[in-house]
Amino acid sequence: MTKRLITSIISMLLPAAFGLSAAVVTTGNGTLSYREHTPWSGEIAIDFAPCMANELFTFSSVALDSVVVNKTSSDNIGPFGLVGGGWSGGNHLNGGMRSARTDSIEVSLDGVPLDLSVPLQSKGSVLTVRVFNTLLMPADTVPFALETMTYRVSGNSIEVTGEHRFVAPHPVAVDRYYGMQSMFDGETEMLTPGGSYGVWTPVASVNRFDKASAPGFCTFVEHSPVGYQACWMDPATGIGDRRMVDGADWVFIGNSWTKSYHKLIGGKTVAPGDTTLWRGVYTWFKEPVSDGCRGTLAGQYAFAGNIGGQSIIFYINKFGKTTIIPINQ
């Protein structure tokens, strides 16, 4: 990517960046909602609540201009599939028995703590939600892992950091761990720069591809009549580099039970005291900044989002390499 192209993109978005308004965060009776207007998403509304079968506290609904585009009726934050056929975390029960629980929640807006039980409407820039979960061994009450999920919501994005410390009394073989998943609603086509779907592909034709075939893949983008959702996995943070996925193993699974997945662990054993970390960003927008992926040849793709209150551009080349470009405000 040339410096001229970077400058051109930033110049195009500067007027929009200055138009950002303060977010409105509402609490009360255990509820939490975030409302913001951005040039790229229109009005975005993000709600947090206990959801999925395990009633874990996470983002439960995302809407653009009052139309829901992501609803956590199943996993947005993925579970561990353990060797032997059981699951731990996310939306999964084992024989009707819950496989995880939320132990505590910490919420702040621009560093100021918020009490979810107190009815309050506040304005600010960055909403931080830290959730402490215990994941259980399948069909048991023995803890498998202590999970800390941190969500930083700003602009039209949610930056997610997932941390795990494995505490089972013995090594456990993990068949699969998806981590960052997508419950985007009504998708019609998908794009995986650097992967098998380097041009826009009808969702019915999307399946999966392995790590060896897509060494630069880190982002998938979904499109519906309402807008787009992009899921970027940071390859420079923890297991986002796919170190725990073998070359012949799937690194992306799409159009499966209405979900798409970033696979982060496959066929690996975790021992008591082991830890893992990953970081990803969900972004919702009405139109991309640029799209060179419509046709027969893969090209570049760019969209605008936000990390920690900083407006940014995600620029992805045809090999999947993603460059994050701050928009000076």
Side-chain angles (χ1 to χ4, degrees):
M1 178 173 51
T2 66
K3 183 177 180 180
R4 178 178 295 180
L5 178 56
I6 295 174
T7 302
S8 175
I9 293 174
I10 292 177
S11 296
M12 179 173 61
L13 285 182
L14 270 176
F18 282 116
L20 290 174
S21 59
V24 176
V25 174
T26 305
T27 59
N29 298 319
T31 63
L32 177 64
S33 69
Y34 171 98
R35 301 290 185 273
E36 170 70 291
H37 187 279
T38 82
W40 312 293
S41 64
E43 183 176 76
I44 186 167
I46 301 172
D47 294 329
F48 283 79
C51 55
M52 303 183 287
N54 285 301
E55 298 183 4
L56 302 180
F57 195 81
T58 185
F59 62 98
S60 57
S61 176
V62 179
L64 298 181
D65 289 335
S66 301
V67 179
V68 173
V69 292
N70 186 302
K71 191 169 182 62
T72 310
S73 53
S74 186
D75 309 284
N76 255 325
I77 301 299
F80 289 83
L82 307 184
V83 172
W87 292 91
S88 182
N91 189 52
H92 288 267
L93 306 178
N94 294 294
M97 184 175 181
R98 288 173 58 176
S99 66
R101 65 174 183 265
T102 289
D103 298 317
S104 62
I105 306 163
E106 296 175 355
V107 181
S108 63
L109 181 61
D110 295 338
V112 179
L114 297 178
D115 186 339
L116 295 184
S117 68
V118 177
L120 184 68
Q121 192 172 88
S122 308
K123 289 187 176 182
S125 176
V126 181
L127 172 68
T128 302
V129 183
R130 184 167 286 113
V131 183
F132 301 90
N133 300 320
T134 296
L135 310 187
L136 305 173
M137 293 294 295
D140 205 339
T141 58
V142 173
F144 162 61
L146 302 181
E147 177 179 76
T148 303
M149 301 302 305
T150 303
Y151 307 90
R152 283 205 306 168
V153 188
S154 58
N156 56 325
S157 300
I158 304 177
E159 177 191 8
V160 182
T161 303
E163 302 172 80
H164 293 91
R165 180 162 65 89
F166 300 100
V167 296
H170 52 77
V172 177
V174 177
D175 178 65
R176 73 201 84 166
Y177 171 58
Y178 298 123
M180 189 178 190
Q181 298 187 183
S182 164
M183 286 299 299
F184 191 61
D185 189 48
E187 62 183 347
T188 57
E189 55 183 356
M190 181 168 288
L191 178 68
T192 61
S196 294
Y197 311 105
V199 296
W200 285 103
T201 303
V203 69
S205 300
V206 171
N207 192 355
R208 57 190 69 190
F209 51 83
D210 61 32
K211 174 181 172 180
S213 70
F217 164 74
C218 60
T219 307
F220 64 86
V221 187
E222 298 162 281
H223 184 208
S224 79
V226 179
Y228 297 79
Q229 175 181 284
C231 296
W232 172 71
M233 174 64 61
D234 182 0
T237 299
I239 58 175
D241 64 1
R242 320 292 179 153
R243 72 184 71 166
M244 298 187 75
V245 180
D246 293 336
D249 199 354
W250 310 120
V251 75
F252 170 78
I253 300 172
N255 188 29
S256 173
W257 296 92
T258 73
K259 292 178 283 190
S260 298
Y261 313 77
H262 275 296
K263 188 172 184 179
L264 295 177
I265 301 178
K268 304 298 180 184
T269 296
V270 295
D274 285 352
T275 61
T276 58
L277 168 71
W278 61 267
R279 170 178 175 258
V281 179
Y282 293 85
T283 300
W284 293 270
F285 48 100
K286 293 291 189 71
E287 296 292 341
V289 174
S290 62
D291 185 352
C293 303
R294 295 203 173 275
T296 58
L297 296 177
Q300 56 73 38
Y301 190 79
F303 60 92
N306 202 289
I307 297 179
Q310 169 68 62
S311 295
I312 58 173
I313 297 168
F314 292 85
Y315 179 93
I316 315 170
N317 70 16
K318 66 179 181 180
F319 303 109
K321 179 177 173 55
T322 301
T323 302
I324 293 179
I325 309 166
I327 304 173
N328 295 322
Q329 298 182 41

